[in-house]
């Protein structure tokens, strides 16, 4: 049994990844490799949303080992409590999917952006990712056998911004730096770190994409989206690699979204 922590697990990408991990270890076709089973600790702000995810997981795999831990990733004490709970229950940690994040306020020009809005996005997307990664890193370093994997949820905004997205874009660029640093600092301890950059997965956060979003030329235009399950399958592939191999960066995006050539 492998142990995973998924942050932002109450909805969207986090929920899809938790469900995908839950499918692992089920009976496979004759002659195919047996995948490892995962126990999944679900972290997020609202317990009711986590319980909804847990119920969906048990629908897929009735014997699933699921733990709901309400957590505010911007709070160092809450993050410490999350990983202490996981350590107490399971004794080790094999995967952190560092997924919790927010777009922040939409439609606000850079010159009008309140500092409070900037700080909320930074606290969630960057400081929260740091706190969770640090707690996971410490546990993976100290456990026997040593090692584990951290997968950071980046964005295509880590490569190219949308209009009026300075807080979100800045944090996703910073997350790329965190990913690279963790990859280097984790080498002596068999801790692998990679990043998945996602473009237009169909979730609650991207609901406006199909009705029309602001483009670089100032026009509003609808954009294609993809199933979040396609992202989840990629995360699962990254997670199930042996620690001797790592997907450092991968981009999964709606094929026809205006990203390549954007701007």
């Amino acid at each position: 049994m492998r142990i995973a922590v998924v942050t932002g697990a109450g909805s969207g990408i986090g929920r899809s990844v938790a469900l995908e991990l839950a499918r692992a270890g089920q009976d496979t076709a004759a002659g195919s490799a047996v995948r490892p089973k995962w126990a999944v600790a679900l972290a997020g702000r609202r317990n009711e949303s986590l319980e909804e995810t847990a119920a969906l997981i048990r629908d897929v795999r009735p014997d699933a080992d699921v733990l709901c831990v309400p957590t505010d990733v911007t709070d160092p004490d809450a993050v410490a409590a999350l990983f202490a709970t996981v350590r107490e229950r399971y004794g080790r940690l094999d995967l952190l999917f560092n997924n919790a994040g927010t777009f922040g306020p939409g439609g606000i020009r850079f010159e009008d952006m309140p500092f409070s809005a900037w700080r909320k996005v930074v606290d969630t997307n960057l400081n929260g990712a740091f706190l969770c990664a640090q707690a996971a890193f410490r546990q993976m370093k100290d456990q026997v056998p040593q090692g584990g994997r951290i997968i950071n949820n980046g964005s295509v905004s880590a490569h190219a911004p949308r209009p009026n997205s300075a807080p979100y874009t800045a944090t996703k660029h910073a997350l790329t730096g965190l990913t690279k640093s963790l990859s280097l600092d984790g080498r002596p301890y068999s801790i692998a770190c990679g990043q998945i950059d996602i473009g237009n997965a169909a979730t609650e956060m991207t609901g406006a994409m199909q009705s029309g979003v602001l483009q670089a030329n100032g026009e509003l235009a609808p954009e294609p989206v993809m199933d979040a399950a396609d992202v989840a399958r990629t995360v699962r592939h990254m997670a199930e690699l042996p620690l001797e191999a790592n997907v450092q960066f991968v981009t999964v995006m709606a094929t026809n979204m205006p990203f390549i050539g954007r701007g």
Side-chain angles (χ1 to χ4, degrees):
M1 180 76 75
R2 295 185 185 179
I3 314 304
V5 170
V6 177
T7 67
S11 63
I13 297 296
R15 175 173 285 179
S16 293
V17 168
L19 283 165
E20 184 63 29
L21 291 175
R23 294 186 178 95
Q26 294 178 304
D27 293 338
T28 56
S32 62
V34 176
R35 294 182 179 274
K37 285 188 177 181
W38 291 90
V40 185
L42 308 174
R45 290 175 299 166
R46 297 187 296 120
N47 187 62
E48 58 269 30
S49 296
L50 299 179
E51 292 292 349
E52 289 173 3
T53 300
L56 291 170
I57 288 174
R58 293 188 180 103
D59 286 342
V60 171
R61 205 180 95 204
D63 65 338
D65 189 343
V66 187
L67 176 66
C68 296
V69 188
T71 307
D72 178 356
V73 299
T74 70
D75 180 349
D77 292 335
V79 171
L82 163 65
F83 286 89
T85 299
V86 171
R87 183 169 57 251
E88 180 179 351
R89 174 150 172 175
Y90 299 111
R92 67 173 291 108
L93 176 64
D94 298 291
L95 171 68
L96 166 65
F97 181 45
N98 220 355
N99 168 70
T102 180
F103 281 142
I108 299 179
R109 295 177 299 182
F110 179 76
E111 63 270 29
D112 298 324
M113 180 69 63
F115 178 68
S116 60
W118 167 274
R119 184 166 184 173
K120 182 178 180 180
V121 177
V122 172
D123 281 346
T124 302
N125 294 6
L126 182 57
N127 294 342
F130 161 77
L131 290 170
C132 291
Q134 186 181 59
F137 192 103
R138 287 169 173 165
Q139 185 162 336
M140 292 170 178
K141 177 182 175 182
D142 292 343
Q143 64 195 10
V144 179
Q146 199 175 57
R149 189 180 306 275
I150 297 169
I151 300 175
N152 291 324
N153 185 350
S155 169
V156 295
S157 290
H159 307 276
R162 289 186 178 277
N164 302 328
S165 68
Y168 183 78
T169 298
T171 57
K172 293 305 183 179
H173 275 73
L175 201 62
T176 298
L178 179 65
T179 298
K180 292 178 178 179
S181 290
L182 287 172
S183 295
L184 179 59
D185 294 344
R187 284 179 186 172
Y189 314 113
S190 297
I191 299 172
C193 183
Q195 180 171 316
I196 182 166
D197 295 329
I198 301 166
N200 286 17
T203 68
E204 297 90 335
M205 289 180 65
T206 60
M209 296 290 180
Q210 298 176 75
S211 58
V213 290
L214 185 64
Q215 304 297 306
N217 63 1
E219 295 179 356
L220 289 174
E223 295 188 10
V225 297
M226 62 178 172
D227 194 326
D230 296 323
V231 176
R233 282 191 288 273
T234 305
V235 173
R236 177 173 162 179
H237 168 69
M238 296 168 73
E240 291 183 343
L241 287 172
L243 292 178
E244 294 77 19
N246 187 42
V247 175
Q248 184 66 71
F249 292 99
V250 62
T251 300
V252 182
M253 53 178 274
T255 302
N256 294 327
M257 71 172 289
F259 168 58
I260 301 301
R262 181 157 105 185

